[in-house]
Amino acid sequence: MYHRPPKSHPVAITVALVLAALVGVIAIASIWANRELLDTDSWVSVSGRLLESHDVRHRVATFLGEELVDETEKHLDDAGQGQVADRVVPPLRRRQVELAEEVMATPQFKAIWRRANRVGHRDLLRVLDEEEPAGEDSVVVDLTPALRQLAELVGRDGLERELGISDLGRLVAPGAARIDVLEAEELEVAQDAVRVVRHLTVPAVIAVIALYLLALLLGRRRLSRAFLGVGIALAATGALALLARALAGHEVVDQVARQGDREAARAAWSIATSTIVHLSIGAIVLGALVLIAALLVGRRRRRLVS
């Protein structure tokens, strides 16, 4: 009796591979979020790398310098010393970024930066992981100790005497240099997103593996061709993840640049999402290797048949 050879199910294989590529992008994003955004030690490491960027350092220095000038001017005006403020503020403003960058080069500032990011990130996770709705407070990174360090540098450089004021550090009020990480009205949405991301990585990875196995099972009649599809899907996963990163980065930079420096925002996004790049390139390389292996095996089989 004649038996029909099993069908290769090309449409089903294509659907499985397309789904595998798309779910793979979700898996990469989830791995990145859990590893970089939702792990305090990893975030502190990322924040340290942020300071290695000239654009980010300049933006932070500008922020600290402006805060010092504003605090000085506000204190003098409140004390009824407007004439002193008119004399003190202009020369201080001219040197604000230079002085701040000098402070940022010190080990003390780097320790303050790491500690501020660690505390701010822990506060963020505590709020994001709460089951109850968020309160009215925002989550911040407090750089006030760094601002006081900047004020002390002004004193050490003799600028206090030059400017005609004393003990500039006492003009820095508590919480004077705080960077908002997440506003109160954004917290509830962020909580919902984190609850999903926390538990997404393992199911996404399992789904990707299952879809690839399904594609290979359906294509077992022409296994080399099925592996060819797997290689293409893996490479597509990496390419799609890089494309998604670029598109999301464009949106994030546009949002952040409304309140800050575009180049600094772009540099920060590039550093903070470097794990996505590494995972994406890994998927592309793995896909290329599978693709090459499938082509070599297919060619060898054709030679043996002929």
Side-chain angles (χ1 to χ4, degrees):
M1 178 183 277
Y2 173 73
H3 293 282
R4 271 182 158 180
K7 293 182 179 180
S8 59
H9 307 287
V11 175
I13 293 172
T14 301
V15 171
L17 291 176
V18 169
L19 288 175
L22 295 176
V23 177
V25 174
I26 295 173
I28 287 176
S30 178
I31 291 170
W32 162 71
N34 280 288
R35 181 183 297 179
E36 299 289 0
L37 299 186
L38 300 179
D39 182 85
T40 297
D41 289 336
S42 293
W43 176 251
V44 172
S45 176
V46 169
S47 68
R49 296 202 305 273
L50 289 177
L51 287 183
E52 296 173 7
S53 165
H54 169 76
D55 293 318
V56 174
R57 283 201 314 274
H58 182 75
R59 179 57 192 153
V60 175
T62 301
F63 168 75
L64 289 174
E66 289 174 348
E67 291 298 317
L68 179 64
V69 171
D70 289 345
E71 284 293 303
T72 301
E73 186 173 24
K74 179 177 181 299
H75 181 85
L76 292 174
D77 286 342
D78 290 346
Q81 297 179 289
Q83 291 183 341
V84 176
D86 291 340
R87 186 183 75 253
V88 167
V89 171
L92 187 59
R93 192 181 299 279
R94 284 194 295 270
R95 295 194 59 187
Q96 63 182 25
V97 176
E98 172 195 346
L99 293 169
E101 288 183 339
E102 186 176 339
V103 165
M104 290 177 64
T106 64
Q108 292 89 341
F109 175 84
K110 292 176 182 177
I112 290 171
W113 176 261
R114 288 194 299 270
R115 184 165 57 250
N117 275 278
R118 183 176 296 278
V119 171
H121 195 270
R122 283 177 176 170
D123 289 344
L124 176 63
L125 292 184
R126 176 180 50 77
V127 172
L128 292 179
D129 288 332
E130 284 181 353
E131 294 297 329
E132 297 298 324
E136 297 181 356
D137 294 332
S138 60
V139 178
V140 301
V141 173
D142 190 359
L143 292 179
T144 303
L147 188 59
R148 291 201 177 98
Q149 186 185 4
L150 175 57
E152 292 172 3
L153 174 65
V154 172
R156 289 199 303 270
D157 281 0
L159 286 177
E160 287 182 342
R161 290 190 301 275
E162 179 182 329
L163 297 174
I165 57 177
S166 61
D167 194 10
L168 192 57
R170 70 183 174 83
L171 304 185
V172 178
R178 304 198 311 173
I179 301 175
D180 289 334
V181 177
L182 206 59
E183 298 291 345
E185 58 270 18
E186 302 170 334
L187 290 177
E188 191 167 349
V189 175
Q191 284 177 336
D192 293 337
V194 166
R195 291 188 190 108
V196 173
V197 171
R198 284 283 195 198
H199 307 288
L200 186 60
T201 301
V202 173
V205 171
I206 291 174
V208 169
I209 295 173
L211 287 166
Y212 281 129
L213 290 176
L214 176 61
L216 293 174
L217 179 64
L218 293 173
R220 63 189 181 279
R221 183 166 174 260
R222 296 183 177 180
L223 201 54
S224 61
R225 182 174 295 183
F227 270 108
L228 191 68
V230 169
I232 293 173
L234 282 168
T237 296
L240 287 172
L242 290 175
L243 177 62
R245 172 182 178 266
L247 294 175
H250 181 74
E251 181 66 24
V252 169
V253 169
D254 282 347
Q255 291 292 331
V256 174
R258 294 175 184 175
Q259 301 176 347
D261 185 278
R262 176 174 291 275
E263 293 304 317
R266 186 177 290 112
W269 175 258
S270 177
I271 293 169
T273 58
S274 59
T275 295
I276 294 179
V277 176
H278 298 153
L279 293 172
S280 299
I281 292 176
I284 292 172
V285 170
L286 180 59
L289 292 175
V290 173
L291 187 63
I292 293 170
L295 290 173
L296 291 176
V297 170
R299 181 178 298 178
R300 184 178 179 184
R301 284 186 175 180
R302 284 194 298 270
R303 285 179 180 175
L304 291 174
V305 171
S306 62

